[in-house]
Amino acid sequence: MLKKILLIMTSSLIATGLISCASDNTPQPQPMPKIKNYDTIKQGWVQRNLDNSSAGSFVPVNFDNAIFTADSSGTIYKIDPSDGSIINSFYTREKLSSGVGVAGGSVYATTIDAHLIAVDKGSGKIKWKIRLPTVSLEAPQVGADLVIVKTNDSEVLAYNTSDGSPVWVYQKPAPALTLRVTNTFQVIGNEVVVIGLPGGKLALVNLKTGVPIWENYVAIPEGATDLDKITDIGMRPVLDDKRLYVAAYNGKIACLDAISSNIIWEKKFNTSIGLTYDQQNVYAVSQDGVVYAFDKNTGSQVWKNATMQYRSLSAPAILGVGVLIVDNDGYVHLFNRNDGQETARISTNLYDGVSLPLVRDNGVVFQSANGILELIKNY
């Protein structure tokens, strides 16, 4: 019990991006510099009917020419991506801890009392409900007729989409203390799932069998105490052709060969936020809110921008010629991909943290902890 209490306390502190002995010692952001808005971004549509939900655990997804998402009250939504209107919504009568995964005729989510539910996409009725070993704060994902769930104790489980029957389990021993994270695995096609684990390890697992294809360390835990040794992969790995990009808290950012797991390049880095890429660079936000661009092929630093440091930034997304990021106060920032200069900024109602970005042809969709679903777009 003591271990669990310490884990939750530590995780809550880490979620702020800083661990401080006293609030007076917590670094404070500098006033935002004025910018000339060389580029243009604006709010597209805004959907305000969602309830407050934990930032990161509820991730909007594209499916069936619509956007699906959920909120902590237990409502699942089908959203028209053209104007943000609600096409359909279902109240599940379950308090949700994360969502959603979508495939075929079902939407999948997890509950605060540690269940996985499958909801009929047409009627809203719960098709099946199974108990998980522990609660899950990560949105389920679906592939090869399996729904994949990762629980808070880093156990990854696969269930049959038709009836919820268990198919396989993948788990490795966890360190004494770990981060409380919300996006650490990615189903890729109908073949594999790449999983970020506590202790700095990354695994590529056969989606159908749960058998690891390879396991490799992105970073090695170091330090005198369990707190010092927290080196978890707390972000969703991303695949670009045959290369995987990933970063670890208190560890490194790295590029790995997806076939062999050999590390192509690595740099000391500290994040649990997330990253994205384009044809030239990998873009990442450090734990303290500094935005970086690294060369995709060599890992060399192309630029960094520290003007938004300590503002609790979101994972980055590509929008037009820029890198789009949201801060905790609802400001949306666009950084030039070539030199890192901030070229546009708008104020929104996306407060208190947002989901992973959902990139679409008409812009980028975020879901915020205060119950706003919003499209950010270029003019």
Side-chain angles (χ1 to χ4, degrees):
M1 178 61 71
L2 178 59
K3 175 181 173 180
K4 290 182 178 179
I5 293 172
L6 286 171
L7 186 152
I8 293 171
M9 292 174 62
T10 303
S11 303
S12 298
L13 289 167
I14 290 171
T16 68
L18 298 164
I19 298 177
S20 175
C21 294
S23 59
D24 292 343
N25 296 328
T26 301
Q28 297 298 311
Q30 295 298 311
M32 287 189 293
K34 294 182 179 180
I35 61 171
K36 294 184 178 180
N37 284 302
Y38 293 109
D39 294 312
T40 52
I41 54 175
K42 67 175 182 178
Q43 298 179 70
W45 49 258
V46 181
Q47 175 54 250
R48 305 176 186 274
N49 286 337
L50 283 67
D51 279 358
N52 292 4
S53 303
S54 177
S57 292
F58 296 85
V59 183
V61 297
N62 289 314
F63 190 82
D64 236 4
N65 297 316
I67 296 171
F68 286 83
T69 193
D71 61 28
S72 59
S73 72
T75 303
I76 292 172
Y77 301 88
K78 182 179 181 181
I79 304 292
D80 187 326
S82 65
D83 60 8
S85 62
I86 296 175
I87 299 172
N88 213 345
S89 65
F90 302 113
Y91 178 54
T92 65
R93 301 184 184 276
E94 301 278 349
K95 299 298 183 182
L96 301 182
S97 58
S98 74
V100 294
V102 190
S106 299
V107 182
Y108 303 91
T110 64
T111 70
I112 62 172
D113 59 354
H115 285 85
L116 172 66
I117 60 173
V119 180
D120 186 274
K121 192 158 59 69
S123 67
K125 294 181 179 179
I126 294 179
K127 300 167 72 171
W128 52 258
K129 175 180 178 180
I130 56 98
R131 176 167 289 282
L132 300 171
T134 55
V135 70
S136 171
L137 298 178
E138 300 204 35
Q141 296 180 42
V142 188
D145 296 323
L146 298 173
V147 55
I148 311 300
V149 176
K150 187 179 180 191
T151 64
N152 276 10
D153 60 0
S154 299
E155 191 171 2
V156 183
L157 308 103
Y159 298 92
N160 191 294
T161 54
S162 62
D163 59 9
S165 57
V167 178
W168 54 257
V169 178
Y170 174 84
Q171 187 176 33
K172 293 294 179 180
L177 291 178
T178 63
L179 296 179
R180 186 179 185 182
V181 290
T182 57
N183 296 284
T184 62
F185 73 95
Q186 179 67 59
V187 171
I188 300 173
N190 288 314
E191 298 180 358
V192 297
V193 54
V194 58
I195 305 166
L197 296 165
K201 181 178 283 188
L202 188 70
L204 189 73
V205 172
N206 185 297
L207 179 57
K208 296 179 182 178
T209 66
V211 175
I213 299 168
W214 53 253
E215 299 168 337
N216 200 358
Y217 281 97
V218 173
I220 305 297
E222 298 176 349
T225 68
D226 289 336
L227 192 60
D228 295 331
K229 293 177 181 177
I230 296 177
T231 313
D232 298 355
I233 295 177
M235 55 147 287
R236 183 175 291 182
V238 296
L239 177 70
D240 176 25
D241 193 16
K242 296 180 180 179
R243 291 186 173 189
L244 280 167
Y245 298 99
V246 69
Y249 177 85
N250 197 29
K252 296 177 181 178
I253 184 170
C255 171
L256 294 84
D257 184 295
I259 306 299
S260 66
S261 85
N262 292 334
I263 294 178
I264 298 170
W265 57 258
E266 59 185 6
K267 297 288 182 181
K268 187 173 178 59
F269 203 65
N270 178 16
T271 191
S272 61
I273 297 169
L275 52 80
T276 192
Y277 65 88
D278 60 15
Q279 293 181 338
Q280 287 78 38
N281 300 326
V282 175
Y283 304 94
V285 178
S286 65
Q287 200 69 22
D288 61 356
V290 179
V291 186
Y292 288 81
F294 298 96
D295 184 274
K296 275 176 58 175
N297 295 316
T298 66
S300 60
Q301 180 181 305
V302 178
W303 54 258
K304 75 173 183 178
N305 186 314
T307 58
M308 297 300 124
Q309 193 171 21
Y310 309 126
R311 291 188 178 275
S312 299
L313 304 184
S314 72
I318 301 297
L319 179 65
V321 298
V323 180
L324 195 71
I325 292 173
V326 184
D327 70 29
N328 256 26
D329 294 322
Y331 286 96
V332 178
H333 310 268
L334 189 72
F335 300 90
N336 184 283
R337 285 191 262 166
N338 294 321
D339 59 15
Q341 294 300 306
E342 187 178 3
T343 59
R345 181 191 304 153
I346 59 172
S347 178
T348 72
N349 291 315
L350 295 167
Y351 299 140
D352 303 325
V354 295
S355 65
L356 287 180
L358 174 63
V359 179
R360 294 183 47 85
D361 291 340
N362 60 339
V364 183
V365 177
F366 294 94
Q367 181 172 338
S368 62
N370 66 322
I372 301 293
L373 190 71
E374 183 164 340
L375 174 73
I376 306 298
K377 59 189 294 185
N378 291 116
Y379 280 103

